[in-house]
PDB file of all heavy atoms in Angstrom:
ATOM      1  N   LYS A 102     -10.315 -12.069  13.296  1.00  0.00           N
ATOM      2  CA  LYS A 102     -10.252 -10.796  14.021  1.00  0.00           C
ATOM      3  C   LYS A 102     -11.350  -9.812  13.641  1.00  0.00           C
ATOM      4  O   LYS A 102     -11.784  -9.032  14.478  1.00  0.00           O
ATOM      5  CB  LYS A 102      -8.898 -10.129  13.802  1.00  0.00           C
ATOM      6  CG  LYS A 102      -7.759 -10.804  14.526  1.00  0.00           C
ATOM      7  CD  LYS A 102      -6.486  -9.997  14.357  1.00  0.00           C
ATOM      8  CE  LYS A 102      -5.399 -10.544  15.209  1.00  0.00           C
ATOM      9  NZ  LYS A 102      -5.241  -9.837  16.459  1.00  0.00           N
ATOM     10  N   PHE A 103     -11.769  -9.811  12.369  1.00  0.00           N
ATOM     11  CA  PHE A 103     -12.609  -8.717  11.903  1.00  0.00           C
ATOM     12  C   PHE A 103     -13.973  -9.100  11.348  1.00  0.00           C
ATOM     13  O   PHE A 103     -14.798  -8.222  11.101  1.00  0.00           O
ATOM     14  CB  PHE A 103     -11.850  -7.912  10.838  1.00  0.00           C
ATOM     15  CG  PHE A 103     -10.563  -7.356  11.335  1.00  0.00           C
ATOM     16  CD1 PHE A 103      -9.355  -7.858  10.875  1.00  0.00           C
ATOM     17  CD2 PHE A 103     -10.533  -6.346  12.276  1.00  0.00           C
ATOM     18  CE1 PHE A 103      -8.145  -7.350  11.325  1.00  0.00           C
ATOM     19  CE2 PHE A 103      -9.331  -5.824  12.741  1.00  0.00           C
ATOM     20  CZ  PHE A 103      -8.141  -6.329  12.271  1.00  0.00           C
ATOM     21  N   ALA A 104     -14.248 -10.369  11.132  1.00  0.00           N
ATOM     22  CA  ALA A 104     -15.531 -10.755  10.536  1.00  0.00           C
ATOM     23  C   ALA A 104     -16.691 -10.419  11.466  1.00  0.00           C
ATOM     24  O   ALA A 104     -16.591 -10.546  12.684  1.00  0.00           O
ATOM     25  CB  ALA A 104     -15.531 -12.243  10.203  1.00  0.00           C
ATOM     26  N   GLY A 105     -17.796  -9.980  10.859  1.00  0.00           N
ATOM     27  CA  GLY A 105     -19.006  -9.706  11.620  1.00  0.00           C
ATOM     28  C   GLY A 105     -19.775 -10.981  11.870  1.00  0.00           C
ATOM     29  O   GLY A 105     -19.336 -12.083  11.515  1.00  0.00           O
ATOM     30  N   ALA A 106     -20.944 -10.842  12.467  1.00  0.00           N
ATOM     31  CA  ALA A 106     -21.781 -12.000  12.780  1.00  0.00           C
ATOM     32  C   ALA A 106     -22.188 -12.766  11.517  1.00  0.00           C
ATOM     33  O   ALA A 106     -22.401 -13.973  11.563  1.00  0.00           O
ATOM     34  CB  ALA A 106     -23.023 -11.534  13.531  1.00  0.00           C
ATOM     35  N   ASP A 107     -22.258 -12.045  10.394  1.00  0.00           N
ATOM     36  CA  ASP A 107     -22.643 -12.685   9.134  1.00  0.00           C
ATOM     37  C   ASP A 107     -21.450 -13.308   8.404  1.00  0.00           C
ATOM     38  O   ASP A 107     -21.593 -13.854   7.315  1.00  0.00           O
ATOM     39  CB  ASP A 107     -23.347 -11.687   8.216  1.00  0.00           C
ATOM     40  CG  ASP A 107     -22.474 -10.488   7.873  1.00  0.00           C
ATOM     41  OD1 ASP A 107     -21.330 -10.379   8.384  1.00  0.00           O
ATOM     42  OD2 ASP A 107     -22.940  -9.645   7.082  1.00  0.00           O
ATOM     43  N   GLY A 108     -20.246 -13.202   8.998  1.00  0.00           N
ATOM     44  CA  GLY A 108     -19.048 -13.791   8.402  1.00  0.00           C
ATOM     45  C   GLY A 108     -18.352 -12.893   7.384  1.00  0.00           C
ATOM     46  O   GLY A 108     -17.300 -13.237   6.868  1.00  0.00           O
ATOM     47  N   ARG A 109     -18.947 -11.735   7.094  1.00  0.00           N
ATOM     48  CA  ARG A 109     -18.349 -10.820   6.112  1.00  0.00           C
ATOM     49  C   ARG A 109     -17.283  -9.964   6.799  1.00  0.00           C
ATOM     50  O   ARG A 109     -17.392  -9.633   7.972  1.00  0.00           O
ATOM     51  CB  ARG A 109     -19.424  -9.954   5.477  1.00  0.00           C
ATOM     52  CG  ARG A 109     -20.446 -10.806   4.713  1.00  0.00           C
ATOM     53  CD  ARG A 109     -21.621 -10.001   4.221  1.00  0.00           C
ATOM     54  NE  ARG A 109     -21.269  -9.042   3.195  1.00  0.00           N
ATOM     55  CZ  ARG A 109     -21.144  -9.320   1.902  1.00  0.00           C
ATOM     56  NH1 ARG A 109     -21.328 -10.554   1.479  1.00  0.00           N
ATOM     57  NH2 ARG A 109     -20.843  -8.384   1.033  1.00  0.00           N
ATOM     58  N   VAL A 110     -16.245  -9.601   6.048  1.00  0.00           N
ATOM     59  CA  VAL A 110     -15.151  -8.806   6.607  1.00  0.00           C
ATOM     60  C   VAL A 110     -15.227  -7.369   6.076  1.00  0.00           C
ATOM     61  O   VAL A 110     -15.457  -7.148   4.888  1.00  0.00           O
ATOM     62  CB  VAL A 110     -13.770  -9.430   6.284  1.00  0.00           C
ATOM     63  CG1 VAL A 110     -13.590 -10.728   7.028  1.00  0.00           C
ATOM     64  CG2 VAL A 110     -13.572  -9.642   4.807  1.00  0.00           C
ATOM     65  N   PRO A 111     -15.043  -6.401   6.973  1.00  0.00           N
ATOM     66  CA  PRO A 111     -15.118  -5.006   6.553  1.00  0.00           C
ATOM     67  C   PRO A 111     -13.763  -4.477   6.086  1.00  0.00           C
ATOM     68  O   PRO A 111     -12.708  -4.950   6.502  1.00  0.00           O
ATOM     69  CB  PRO A 111     -15.551  -4.293   7.835  1.00  0.00           C
ATOM     70  CG  PRO A 111     -14.920  -5.111   8.925  1.00  0.00           C
ATOM     71  CD  PRO A 111     -14.967  -6.536   8.418  1.00  0.00           C
ATOM     72  N   ALA A 112     -13.835  -3.504   5.210  1.00  0.00           N
ATOM     73  CA  ALA A 112     -12.654  -2.747   4.800  1.00  0.00           C
ATOM     74  C   ALA A 112     -13.095  -1.289   4.697  1.00  0.00           C
ATOM     75  O   ALA A 112     -14.128  -0.986   4.099  1.00  0.00           O
ATOM     76  CB  ALA A 112     -12.116  -3.240   3.470  1.00  0.00           C
ATOM     77  N   THR A 113     -12.335  -0.394   5.308  1.00  0.00           N
ATOM     78  CA  THR A 113     -12.688   1.021   5.311  1.00  0.00           C
ATOM     79  C   THR A 113     -11.745   1.773   4.392  1.00  0.00           C
ATOM     80  O   THR A 113     -10.527   1.625   4.480  1.00  0.00           O
ATOM     81  CB  THR A 113     -12.625   1.585   6.743  1.00  0.00           C
ATOM     82  OG1 THR A 113     -13.519   0.822   7.564  1.00  0.00           O
ATOM     83  CG2 THR A 113     -13.034   3.038   6.784  1.00  0.00           C
ATOM     84  N   PHE A 114     -12.332   2.579   3.520  1.00  0.00           N
ATOM     85  CA  PHE A 114     -11.578   3.379   2.556  1.00  0.00           C
ATOM     86  C   PHE A 114     -11.849   4.853   2.819  1.00  0.00           C
ATOM     87  O   PHE A 114     -12.981   5.230   3.112  1.00  0.00           O
ATOM     88  CB  PHE A 114     -11.999   3.050   1.123  1.00  0.00           C
ATOM     89  CG  PHE A 114     -11.803   1.611   0.750  1.00  0.00           C
ATOM     90  CD1 PHE A 114     -12.821   0.689   0.903  1.00  0.00           C
ATOM     91  CD2 PHE A 114     -10.583   1.181   0.246  1.00  0.00           C
ATOM     92  CE1 PHE A 114     -12.643  -0.640   0.562  1.00  0.00           C
ATOM     93  CE2 PHE A 114     -10.390  -0.148  -0.096  1.00  0.00           C
ATOM     94  CZ  PHE A 114     -11.424  -1.055   0.061  1.00  0.00           C
ATOM     95  N   GLN A 115     -10.819   5.661   2.707  1.00  0.00           N
ATOM     96  CA  GLN A 115     -10.996   7.109   2.774  1.00  0.00           C
ATOM     97  C   GLN A 115     -10.682   7.671   1.398  1.00  0.00           C
ATOM     98  O   GLN A 115      -9.596   7.437   0.853  1.00  0.00           O
ATOM     99  CB  GLN A 115     -10.090   7.747   3.825  1.00  0.00           C
ATOM    100  CG  GLN A 115     -10.388   9.221   4.007  1.00  0.00           C
ATOM    101  CD  GLN A 115      -9.576   9.851   5.115  1.00  0.00           C
ATOM    102  OE1 GLN A 115      -8.391   9.583   5.252  1.00  0.00           O
ATOM    103  NE2 GLN A 115     -10.209  10.693   5.899  1.00  0.00           N
ATOM    104  N   ILE A 116     -11.644   8.387   0.845  1.00  0.00           N
ATOM    105  CA  ILE A 116     -11.484   8.982  -0.478  1.00  0.00           C
ATOM    106  C   ILE A 116     -11.304  10.476  -0.294  1.00  0.00           C
ATOM    107  O   ILE A 116     -12.132  11.142   0.340  1.00  0.00           O
ATOM    108  CB  ILE A 116     -12.723   8.694  -1.356  1.00  0.00           C
ATOM    109  CG1 ILE A 116     -12.918   7.186  -1.470  1.00  0.00           C
ATOM    110  CG2 ILE A 116     -12.576   9.349  -2.720  1.00  0.00           C
ATOM    111  CD1 ILE A 116     -14.231   6.784  -2.067  1.00  0.00           C
ATOM    112  N   LEU A 117     -10.199  11.005  -0.827  1.00  0.00           N
ATOM    113  CA  LEU A 117      -9.915  12.435  -0.717  1.00  0.00           C
ATOM    114  C   LEU A 117     -10.246  13.121  -2.028  1.00  0.00           C
ATOM    115  O   LEU A 117      -9.927  12.619  -3.103  1.00  0.00           O
ATOM    116  CB  LEU A 117      -8.435  12.669  -0.389  1.00  0.00           C
ATOM    117  CG  LEU A 117      -7.920  12.060   0.909  1.00  0.00           C
ATOM    118  CD1 LEU A 117      -6.450  12.393   1.100  1.00  0.00           C
ATOM    119  CD2 LEU A 117      -8.731  12.535   2.096  1.00  0.00           C
ATOM    120  N   TYR A 118     -10.880  14.284  -1.925  1.00  0.00           N
ATOM    121  CA  TYR A 118     -11.188  15.119  -3.075  1.00  0.00           C
ATOM    122  C   TYR A 118     -10.367  16.395  -2.942  1.00  0.00           C
ATOM    123  O   TYR A 118     -10.452  17.075  -1.914  1.00  0.00           O
ATOM    124  CB  TYR A 118     -12.680  15.471  -3.109  1.00  0.00           C
ATOM    125  CG  TYR A 118     -13.579  14.260  -3.068  1.00  0.00           C
ATOM    126  CD1 TYR A 118     -14.075  13.781  -1.858  1.00  0.00           C
ATOM    127  CD2 TYR A 118     -13.920  13.598  -4.233  1.00  0.00           C
ATOM    128  CE1 TYR A 118     -14.899  12.674  -1.819  1.00  0.00           C
ATOM    129  CE2 TYR A 118     -14.751  12.482  -4.206  1.00  0.00           C
ATOM    130  CZ  TYR A 118     -15.231  12.032  -2.987  1.00  0.00           C
ATOM    131  OH  TYR A 118     -16.046  10.925  -2.952  1.00  0.00           O
ATOM    132  N   LEU A 119      -9.555  16.693  -3.939  1.00  0.00           N
ATOM    133  CA  LEU A 119      -8.666  17.851  -3.881  1.00  0.00           C
ATOM    134  C   LEU A 119      -9.032  18.832  -4.978  1.00  0.00           C
ATOM    135  O   LEU A 119      -9.347  18.428  -6.092  1.00  0.00           O
ATOM    136  CB  LEU A 119      -7.207  17.418  -4.076  1.00  0.00           C
ATOM    137  CG  LEU A 119      -6.706  16.261  -3.214  1.00  0.00           C
ATOM    138  CD1 LEU A 119      -5.301  15.880  -3.633  1.00  0.00           C
ATOM    139  CD2 LEU A 119      -6.746  16.634  -1.756  1.00  0.00           C
ATOM    140  N   GLY A 120      -8.955  20.114  -4.661  1.00  0.00           N
ATOM    141  CA  GLY A 120      -9.223  21.132  -5.674  1.00  0.00           C
ATOM    142  C   GLY A 120      -8.442  22.395  -5.364  1.00  0.00           C
ATOM    143  O   GLY A 120      -8.037  22.652  -4.227  1.00  0.00           O
ATOM    144  N   GLY A 121      -8.211  23.183  -6.371  1.00  0.00           N
ATOM    145  CA  GLY A 121      -7.519  24.454  -6.212  1.00  0.00           C
ATOM    146  C   GLY A 121      -7.506  25.185  -7.540  1.00  0.00           C
ATOM    147  O   GLY A 121      -7.871  24.618  -8.572  1.00  0.00           O
ATOM    148  N   ARG A 122      -7.115  26.434  -7.507  1.00  0.00           N
ATOM    149  CA  ARG A 122      -7.051  27.233  -8.730  1.00  0.00           C
ATOM    150  C   ARG A 122      -5.602  27.596  -9.028  1.00  0.00           C
ATOM    151  O   ARG A 122      -4.791  27.745  -8.114  1.00  0.00           O
ATOM    152  CB  ARG A 122      -7.831  28.530  -8.574  1.00  0.00           C
ATOM    153  CG  ARG A 122      -9.292  28.342  -8.362  1.00  0.00           C
ATOM    154  CD  ARG A 122     -10.027  29.638  -8.404  1.00  0.00           C
ATOM    155  NE  ARG A 122      -9.395  30.651  -7.577  1.00  0.00           N
ATOM    156  CZ  ARG A 122      -9.865  31.869  -7.423  1.00  0.00           C
ATOM    157  NH1 ARG A 122     -10.959  32.239  -8.026  1.00  0.00           N
ATOM    158  NH2 ARG A 122      -9.257  32.735  -6.666  1.00  0.00           N
ATOM    159  N   ALA A 123      -5.326  27.763 -10.300  1.00  0.00           N
ATOM    160  CA  ALA A 123      -4.002  28.264 -10.682  1.00  0.00           C
ATOM    161  C   ALA A 123      -3.919  29.722 -10.246  1.00  0.00           C
ATOM    162  O   ALA A 123      -4.896  30.468 -10.327  1.00  0.00           O
ATOM    163  CB  ALA A 123      -3.806  28.146 -12.192  1.00  0.00           C
ATOM    164  N   ARG A 124      -2.778  30.123  -9.762  1.00  0.00           N
ATOM    165  CA  ARG A 124      -2.604  31.525  -9.329  1.00  0.00           C
ATOM    166  C   ARG A 124      -2.537  32.434 -10.554  1.00  0.00           C
ATOM    167  O   ARG A 124      -2.000  32.061 -11.586  1.00  0.00           O
ATOM    168  CB  ARG A 124      -1.329  31.667  -8.521  1.00  0.00           C
ATOM    169  CG  ARG A 124      -1.371  30.906  -7.210  1.00  0.00           C
ATOM    170  CD  ARG A 124      -0.144  31.229  -6.357  1.00  0.00           C
ATOM    171  NE  ARG A 124      -0.120  30.388  -5.190  1.00  0.00           N
ATOM    172  CZ  ARG A 124      -0.751  30.669  -4.059  1.00  0.00           C
ATOM    173  NH1 ARG A 124      -1.459  31.755  -3.951  1.00  0.00           N
ATOM    174  NH2 ARG A 124      -0.676  29.848  -3.029  1.00  0.00           N
ATOM    175  N   PHE A 125      -3.085  33.657 -10.409  1.00  0.00           N
ATOM    176  CA  PHE A 125      -2.960  34.653 -11.454  1.00  0.00           C
ATOM    177  C   PHE A 125      -2.869  36.025 -10.808  1.00  0.00           C
ATOM    178  O   PHE A 125      -3.274  36.224  -9.669  1.00  0.00           O
ATOM    179  CB  PHE A 125      -4.100  34.573 -12.483  1.00  0.00           C
ATOM    180  CG  PHE A 125      -5.474  34.752 -11.899  1.00  0.00           C
ATOM    181  CD1 PHE A 125      -6.100  35.989 -11.948  1.00  0.00           C
ATOM    182  CD2 PHE A 125      -6.142  33.690 -11.318  1.00  0.00           C
ATOM    183  CE1 PHE A 125      -7.370  36.146 -11.418  1.00  0.00           C
ATOM    184  CE2 PHE A 125      -7.411  33.844 -10.789  1.00  0.00           C
ATOM    185  CZ  PHE A 125      -8.022  35.081 -10.844  1.00  0.00           C
ATOM    186  N   GLU A 126      -2.319  36.978 -11.528  1.00  0.00           N
ATOM    187  CA  GLU A 126      -1.973  38.287 -10.965  1.00  0.00           C
ATOM    188  C   GLU A 126      -3.161  39.040 -10.396  1.00  0.00           C
ATOM    189  O   GLU A 126      -3.070  39.670  -9.344  1.00  0.00           O
ATOM    190  CB  GLU A 126      -1.301  39.133 -12.049  1.00  0.00           C
ATOM    191  CG  GLU A 126      -0.429  40.225 -11.484  1.00  0.00           C
ATOM    192  CD  GLU A 126       0.386  40.878 -12.578  1.00  0.00           C
ATOM    193  OE1 GLU A 126       1.180  40.165 -13.208  1.00  0.00           O
ATOM    194  OE2 GLU A 126       0.199  42.077 -12.777  1.00  0.00           O
ATOM    195  N   ALA A 127      -4.304  39.023 -11.079  1.00  0.00           N
ATOM    196  CA  ALA A 127      -5.471  39.797 -10.651  1.00  0.00           C
ATOM    197  C   ALA A 127      -6.329  39.062  -9.618  1.00  0.00           C
ATOM    198  O   ALA A 127      -7.412  39.515  -9.283  1.00  0.00           O
ATOM    199  CB  ALA A 127      -6.319  40.144 -11.871  1.00  0.00           C
ATOM    200  N   GLN A 128      -5.827  37.983  -9.105  1.00  0.00           N
ATOM    201  CA  GLN A 128      -6.598  37.168  -8.158  1.00  0.00           C
ATOM    202  C   GLN A 128      -6.846  37.942  -6.868  1.00  0.00           C
ATOM    203  O   GLN A 128      -5.965  38.606  -6.333  1.00  0.00           O
ATOM    204  CB  GLN A 128      -5.810  35.903  -7.851  1.00  0.00           C
ATOM    205  CG  GLN A 128      -6.464  35.007  -6.832  1.00  0.00           C
ATOM    206  CD  GLN A 128      -5.653  33.745  -6.637  1.00  0.00           C
ATOM    207  OE1 GLN A 128      -5.005  33.283  -7.561  1.00  0.00           O
ATOM    208  NE2 GLN A 128      -5.675  33.207  -5.453  1.00  0.00           N
ATOM    209  N   GLN A 129      -8.068  37.856  -6.368  1.00  0.00           N
ATOM    210  CA  GLN A 129      -8.414  38.482  -5.107  1.00  0.00           C
ATOM    211  C   GLN A 129      -7.617  37.806  -3.995  1.00  0.00           C
ATOM    212  O   GLN A 129      -7.508  36.582  -3.945  1.00  0.00           O
ATOM    213  CB  GLN A 129      -9.904  38.334  -4.851  1.00  0.00           C
ATOM    214  CG  GLN A 129     -10.371  39.046  -3.598  1.00  0.00           C
ATOM    215  CD  GLN A 129     -11.884  38.952  -3.449  1.00  0.00           C
ATOM    216  OE1 GLN A 129     -12.562  38.316  -4.246  1.00  0.00           O
ATOM    217  NE2 GLN A 129     -12.399  39.572  -2.419  1.00  0.00           N
ATOM    218  N   GLN A 130      -7.061  38.600  -3.098  1.00  0.00           N
ATOM    219  CA  GLN A 130      -6.238  38.078  -2.014  1.00  0.00           C
ATOM    220  C   GLN A 130      -7.057  37.961  -0.735  1.00  0.00           C
ATOM    221  O   GLN A 130      -7.991  38.746  -0.516  1.00  0.00           O
ATOM    222  CB  GLN A 130      -5.041  39.005  -1.765  1.00  0.00           C
ATOM    223  CG  GLN A 130      -4.105  39.102  -2.950  1.00  0.00           C
ATOM    224  CD  GLN A 130      -3.499  37.771  -3.309  1.00  0.00           C
ATOM    225  OE1 GLN A 130      -3.056  37.026  -2.453  1.00  0.00           O
ATOM    226  NE2 GLN A 130      -3.516  37.445  -4.600  1.00  0.00           N
ATOM    227  N   PRO A 131      -6.730  37.018   0.137  1.00  0.00           N
ATOM    228  CA  PRO A 131      -7.440  36.915   1.413  1.00  0.00           C
ATOM    229  C   PRO A 131      -7.242  38.192   2.218  1.00  0.00           C
ATOM    230  O   PRO A 131      -6.196  38.845   2.124  1.00  0.00           O
ATOM    231  CB  PRO A 131      -6.780  35.730   2.117  1.00  0.00           C
ATOM    232  CG  PRO A 131      -5.923  35.067   1.121  1.00  0.00           C
ATOM    233  CD  PRO A 131      -5.709  36.000  -0.008  1.00  0.00           C
ATOM    234  N   PHE A 132      -8.244  38.572   3.009  1.00  0.00           N
ATOM    235  CA  PHE A 132      -8.164  39.781   3.814  1.00  0.00           C
ATOM    236  C   PHE A 132      -7.131  39.601   4.911  1.00  0.00           C
ATOM    237  O   PHE A 132      -7.125  38.594   5.611  1.00  0.00           O
ATOM    238  CB  PHE A 132      -9.536  40.090   4.414  1.00  0.00           C
ATOM    239  CG  PHE A 132      -9.558  41.377   5.168  1.00  0.00           C
ATOM    240  CD1 PHE A 132      -9.500  42.573   4.485  1.00  0.00           C
ATOM    241  CD2 PHE A 132      -9.615  41.391   6.541  1.00  0.00           C
ATOM    242  CE1 PHE A 132      -9.511  43.781   5.177  1.00  0.00           C
ATOM    243  CE2 PHE A 132      -9.617  42.571   7.239  1.00  0.00           C
ATOM    244  CZ  PHE A 132      -9.573  43.781   6.559  1.00  0.00           C
ATOM    245  N   ASP A 133      -6.252  40.566   5.054  1.00  0.00           N
ATOM    246  CA  ASP A 133      -5.195  40.541   6.070  1.00  0.00           C
ATOM    247  C   ASP A 133      -5.658  41.386   7.246  1.00  0.00           C
ATOM    248  O   ASP A 133      -5.636  42.615   7.194  1.00  0.00           O
ATOM    249  CB  ASP A 133      -3.893  41.075   5.477  1.00  0.00           C
ATOM    250  CG  ASP A 133      -2.725  40.955   6.449  1.00  0.00           C
ATOM    251  OD1 ASP A 133      -2.948  40.573   7.610  1.00  0.00           O
ATOM    252  OD2 ASP A 133      -1.596  41.240   6.025  1.00  0.00           O
ATOM    253  N   ASP A 134      -6.108  40.747   8.325  1.00  0.00           N
ATOM    254  CA  ASP A 134      -6.628  41.442   9.496  1.00  0.00           C
ATOM    255  C   ASP A 134      -5.553  42.294  10.155  1.00  0.00           C
ATOM    256  O   ASP A 134      -5.831  43.380  10.653  1.00  0.00           O
ATOM    257  CB  ASP A 134      -7.198  40.439  10.484  1.00  0.00           C
ATOM    258  CG  ASP A 134      -8.278  41.031  11.370  1.00  0.00           C
ATOM    259  OD1 ASP A 134      -8.969  41.960  10.894  1.00  0.00           O
ATOM    260  OD2 ASP A 134      -8.427  40.573  12.512  1.00  0.00           O
TER     261      ASP A 134
END
Side-chain angles (χ1 to χ4, degrees):
K102 288 185 172 262
F103 302 110
D107 60 357
R109 298 173 67 83
V110 291
T113 302
F114 301 92
Q115 187 176 42
I116 302 169
L117 300 181
Y118 305 93
L119 310 174
R122 296 188 312 181
R124 295 187 187 274
F125 59 98
E126 203 171 299
Q128 177 177 329
Q129 184 176 3
Q130 297 299 315
F132 184 72
D133 185 354
D134 206 30

